[in-house]
Amino acid sequence: MYRLLQRRSVALPLLFCLVTGGFMLYRDADFYVWNDTPSLVYDARPELEMWSAVDQRKAASTAAWRHNPIGELTRRLQVFGTIGGSGYRPLDAVQSSLSISISGSGGPSVVQLLLGGVVYGALACCMFLLARRFTKYPATALLAVVLLFGAPPLVTPSWLVVASNQATVPLLIGSALLLYWQIVESPRGRWLKLLALGVVLLIGPWFREFCGISCLLIGFLELRRALRPIPLGIDRRSTSPQPLSPGGRGPGEGARKDEVLLRSTLMAMAGLFFLHAVFPTALIKWLFFPDLPLLSVTQMGSLGHASKFHGIHWEMAWMFLPLLPPLLVLLATCNGMRLAGRQVIAGLPRRWADWNKSIWQYLEYFACGVGPCVWLGIATLYFAKGSEDRLGYTLCLYVAAVGMQVDVFLVIWFLLSFVPLMRVVQETVHFLYVLVPTSIIMACMMESLWQWVASWPGRLRVARYALALALGVIVADQMLVIYGTRRVMQGQTAAIRAVAAELRERTARGSVVLNNVIHGVEIKWVAGDHYRNLWSMPGGVNRPECVVDEPYKFERLVAAESPRSRVYLLDCDFPRLPWKTADRHPFVHRYAVEKRSLGKLGVCSATYPFADPLRHFISPQNVPFLGPPDLVNDFYRGRALDGSWFRNEVYAEYHLYEVAGPRAMARGECRADAVRTSQ
């Protein structure tokens, strides 16, 4: 196996086939998850909000493609002339539209699974090639792939086959970097590769705004390359120096001109395509849709709304830390500090003559050694002051601190991904973009630690077995995330189906069910057109007319529905953190409502193991949620409720109540009203 990894012609196809086939087997199930479900069954007409609409749309789409394929394609490309609620992402919208066309109510089709598997297989190969540029051994690059593919921000969105595929973003960024390195290192087919790079930089921002980071990374690489002298006498056909002609002109001068032209072209491409990433509607507006607004990415969609928040989401920093095994973080940080100390103490010159001879090299060594020490000092200061928010953010920068021992480019990549993202991030799934350089840095640290331990003399070399055991725990912990996600998705779907069946039996047809979770609408879709669904909380609901969250709205609803139909309260409850009680059903727990309990409808309980013992010290609010990313507040997640070691759990209980009276009062108001009545 190790020899196969050393041969890229064998390793890459094998890795691609393994990941593609593994994804198809892993995702093969007879259900969809949020937020594929709204994309499939949502319609402006409430009577179509059921799973039969999926098959109806599929049949209509198939007929339209057969009748007029050109017209149907033109209609779908009209999304380039509109700005959606998430921003300007036309290619993402085209992908979702085409995926909806081949979807059926019985679960993802083979074509959908194959297309998704190809994306993940390509990402695995891309990640392997990226990591190989910074690692010494192929096994280390494979470790970087395992760390990325076992991270929750990549595993949980892998269950989406209709909504946007998050894996496309790191794939496009990695492809742009690999093309760039091919361009500057291999003269063969250089201008064709430049064309391919231009295509990748062009379409990237039309999938996601974050793809514009590719231009900044290429610009940094070109600036760093420009600081090095242009080599003379490099022939296109060979990397060996070529002599100049007696007149001073020859292969060397031609190569120099080609190199200058190449650098100018790459810098111009990086600048122009970065402007394209900032203003993604400009080109389409000037060429095809003159009425399309010319706006920057910070003025459109979800990014525009998030940019209005002046500050940093400090609390999200603590959620980034457990995305990789804590044991890996501890070992990598300790090894990084070891390397930093060695550079500060042993890397400095002993004589003044040595300083004059290699001053820039020594300054670089000194900076890479002092940087991690400064980071440790700042983290210690925030810990002593009790500044938890700043401490979490500083601890996340451990990646940059230890990355200075690997390559400055990886540090720049991490900082460009992490620091701006903290302004807008709201779900851990967005940390996927940061995990690509993070996984490479962590793998390189493990490789360095292994080499150091293997160099110990005598009996001390047995420490390699302990390190090998630790690496086994790290890999097992990441693999168990994949297993745990499948357990959670299956458990959630089973609970939705069970509750939907109970609602069909215990509620009157045409009644109103008021629930307190986003996935309450999924329960309604599975139950068919048996009742009308409403929400008791506004968070995460994009239909404000269907939200009943105040007593006056509740009383108005009961009065409007009585006596021809009944109103029920579906309460999804679980052990909540003290600051997470806002999503509890207000008309069950906060307001006094005349109601009759109809019992428990079902339970969602999905337990899954983990291997890293340090995960026992992660606080419940920071445990990664292995369900659909948007449903993070709909379920309990944390340590197993029965106290089992090395097990986490996703849990929720569903209770049903029938409303028996029209009034809804706060608990205090209810007691005061009772006192006045008695007097």
Side-chain angles (χ1 to χ4, degrees):
M1 183 65 180
Y2 181 74
R3 292 183 178 180
L4 289 177
L5 289 175
Q6 289 181 317
R7 299 173 57 186
R8 292 188 181 182
S9 60
V10 178
L12 291 180
L14 180 62
L15 182 62
F16 177 82
C17 295
L18 180 64
V19 174
T20 302
F23 173 83
M24 296 181 66
L25 294 175
Y26 174 70
R27 180 57 187 90
D28 186 23
D30 61 343
F31 58 87
Y32 297 93
V33 300
W34 191 279
N35 54 1
D36 277 352
T37 43
S39 302
L40 288 169
V41 300
Y42 175 81
D43 195 276
R45 297 166 58 189
E47 63 269 18
L48 293 181
E49 287 187 350
M50 55 184 125
W51 280 105
S52 60
V54 180
D55 294 324
Q56 295 172 6
R57 286 186 179 184
K58 182 178 180 180
S61 177
T62 302
W65 279 107
R66 291 178 178 176
H67 178 69
N68 186 9
I70 303 298
E72 183 67 12
L73 179 61
T74 303
R75 184 185 68 83
R76 293 180 185 273
L77 292 179
Q78 292 297 315
V79 296
F80 278 87
T82 59
I83 298 177
S86 300
Y88 189 70
R89 302 171 179 175
L91 289 180
D92 187 58
V94 170
Q95 176 266 324
S96 297
S97 177
L98 293 176
S99 185
I100 289 175
S101 301
I102 59 176
S103 298
S105 58
S109 64
V110 176
V111 177
Q112 286 175 309
L113 296 179
L114 178 60
L115 293 176
V118 167
V119 172
Y120 282 90
L123 177 60
C125 296
C126 181
M127 183 66 181
F128 181 81
L129 293 175
L130 286 171
R132 279 299 284 135
R133 297 192 63 87
F134 305 96
T135 61
K136 185 177 180 180
Y137 303 107
T140 311
L142 189 61
L143 175 62
V145 175
V146 171
L147 293 178
L148 178 65
F149 273 73
L154 184 64
V155 180
T156 55
S158 69
W159 284 78
L160 303 177
V161 295
V162 174
S164 56
N165 193 334
Q166 295 286 345
T168 307
V169 179
L171 176 60
L172 289 172
I173 296 174
S175 300
L177 293 175
L178 292 175
L179 283 170
Y180 165 79
W181 279 314
Q182 280 290 312
I183 290 169
V184 299
E185 295 174 0
S186 177
R188 181 177 300 176
R190 174 170 287 170
W191 300 107
L192 185 60
K193 297 172 187 175
L194 276 170
L195 178 61
L197 176 61
V199 172
V200 172
L201 296 179
L202 175 68
I203 66 175
W206 290 339
F207 273 102
R208 277 291 192 277
E209 303 85 349
F210 197 83
C211 290
I213 194 179
S214 304
C215 304
L216 298 177
L217 296 175
I218 291 175
F220 170 80
L221 289 172
E222 269 303 289
L223 287 176
R224 186 169 73 169
R225 198 167 70 97
L227 296 177
R228 302 172 182 174
I230 296 177
L232 296 179
I234 302 297
D235 190 12
R236 292 168 179 256
R237 296 163 298 182
S238 174
T239 57
S240 59
Q242 300 292 327
L244 294 177
S245 62
R249 298 179 60 85
E253 185 174 346
R256 183 184 181 92
K257 290 182 178 180
D258 288 348
E259 187 68 18
V260 172
L261 178 60
L262 177 62
R263 290 183 178 181
S264 302
T265 303
L266 288 172
M267 288 300 294
M269 289 179 63
L272 289 176
F273 283 109
F274 181 71
L275 289 177
H276 165 66
V278 176
F279 298 95
T281 61
L283 186 61
I284 298 297
K285 174 182 174 64
W286 293 335
L287 293 179
F288 304 106
F289 298 98
D291 295 332
L292 185 65
L294 181 60
L295 301 172
S296 67
V297 292
T298 58
Q299 297 175 303
M300 297 183 294
S302 55
L303 181 59
H305 292 297
S307 299
K308 296 178 182 178
F309 173 77
H310 300 288
I312 297 177
H313 295 274
W314 300 104
E315 71 283 356
M316 294 301 298
W318 289 105
M319 297 184 182
F320 173 76
L321 292 171
L323 296 180
L324 292 176
L327 182 59
L328 171 70
V329 174
L330 178 62
L331 292 176
T333 305
C334 293
N335 187 52
M337 299 305 298
R338 177 188 68 85
L339 295 174
R342 187 182 66 178
Q343 284 186 276
V344 172
I345 297 174
L348 295 178
R350 303 300 181 186
R351 298 178 300 175
W352 177 254
D354 294 336
W355 273 102
N356 293 335
K357 184 177 180 180
S358 306
I359 184 171
W360 292 111
Q361 179 181 358
Y362 290 132
L363 287 178
E364 181 181 356
Y365 285 163
F366 189 72
C368 292
V370 170
C373 299
V374 173
W375 164 81
L376 183 61
I378 295 175
T380 304
L381 177 63
Y382 281 137
F383 178 78
K385 293 174 60 177
S387 302
E388 293 186 5
D389 292 339
R390 290 347 187 246
L391 175 62
Y393 186 84
T394 304
L395 290 178
C396 289
L397 296 179
Y398 79 95
V399 181
V402 302
M404 298 181 71
Q405 312 300 323
V406 181
D407 195 289
V408 177
F409 169 71
L410 292 176
V411 177
I412 297 298
W413 189 356
F414 169 79
L415 293 177
L416 287 177
S417 304
F418 180 75
V419 176
L421 193 64
M422 291 300 295
R423 285 286 307 273
V424 299
V425 64
Q426 296 179 343
E427 297 176 352
T428 56
V429 66
H430 299 121
F431 284 127
L432 171 62
Y433 316 144
V434 189
L435 285 174
V436 177
T438 302
S439 299
I440 298 175
I441 291 174
M442 295 295 101
C444 290
M445 283 292 102
M446 290 298 98
E447 181 182 74
S448 171
L449 184 59
W450 178 267
Q451 291 178 316
W452 179 58
V453 172
S455 66
W456 289 0
R459 296 182 179 180
L460 293 178
R461 298 184 65 182
V462 299
R464 289 182 301 171
Y465 299 106
L467 182 57
L469 177 61
L471 287 173
V473 170
I474 290 170
V475 172
D477 193 74
Q478 287 297 90
M479 293 296 98
L480 287 175
V481 171
I482 300 176
Y483 168 74
T485 302
R486 184 174 179 86
R487 288 269 302 172
V488 171
M489 298 297 185
Q490 290 176 331
Q492 172 199 294
T493 303
I496 288 175
R497 291 174 174 175
V499 173
E502 290 293 327
L503 284 173
R504 289 179 62 89
E505 293 183 4
R506 302 193 191 189
T507 62
R509 187 174 185 85
S511 58
V512 175
V513 175
L514 184 61
N515 70 86
N516 67 316
V517 284
I518 298 176
H519 72 278
V521 70
E522 287 187 297
I523 299 175
K524 186 260 184 185
W525 291 332
V526 176
D529 197 23
H530 187 72
Y531 61 87
R532 186 157 60 96
N533 181 78
L534 298 175
W535 288 275
S536 65
M537 80 295 176
V541 179
N542 59 356
R543 304 182 67 181
E545 71 277 6
C546 296
V547 175
V548 179
D549 58 340
E550 297 291 340
Y552 75 92
K553 294 181 181 180
F554 177 81
E555 294 174 0
R556 185 187 304 170
L557 171 67
V558 175
E561 297 297 327
S562 179
R564 66 179 183 276
S565 63
R566 300 177 182 178
V567 178
Y568 297 90
L569 306 177
L570 177 60
D571 178 32
C572 180
D573 202 18
F574 49 84
R576 299 176 185 266
L577 298 172
W579 52 89
K580 285 288 188 179
T581 57
D583 290 334
R584 298 189 77 184
H585 205 303
F587 304 107
V588 175
H589 302 281
R590 190 185 314 162
Y591 300 109
V593 176
E594 296 182 48
K595 56 185 180 295
R596 181 171 62 92
S597 176
L598 300 182
K600 183 189 296 184
L601 301 187
V603 174
C604 173
S605 178
T607 60
Y608 56 92
F610 59 89
D612 192 339
L614 297 182
R615 288 197 180 274
H616 288 93
F617 301 100
I618 297 176
S619 57
Q621 68 269 24
N622 298 325
V623 173
F625 178 60
L626 301 189
D630 289 345
L631 305 186
V632 62
N633 292 322
D634 283 6
F635 299 92
Y636 163 85
R637 94 273 188 183
R639 291 288 306 281
L641 295 176
D642 61 359
S644 300
W645 279 67
F646 292 96
R647 299 192 74 84
N648 283 334
E649 184 174 3
V650 171
Y651 183 84
E653 293 182 357
Y654 300 85
H655 298 266
L656 184 65
Y657 302 88
E658 181 181 358
V659 176
R663 299 195 64 185
M665 298 181 296
R667 300 294 183 182
E669 295 177 2
C670 181
R671 288 193 295 269
D673 185 70
V675 171
R676 286 193 296 269
T677 303
S678 63
Q679 291 177 350

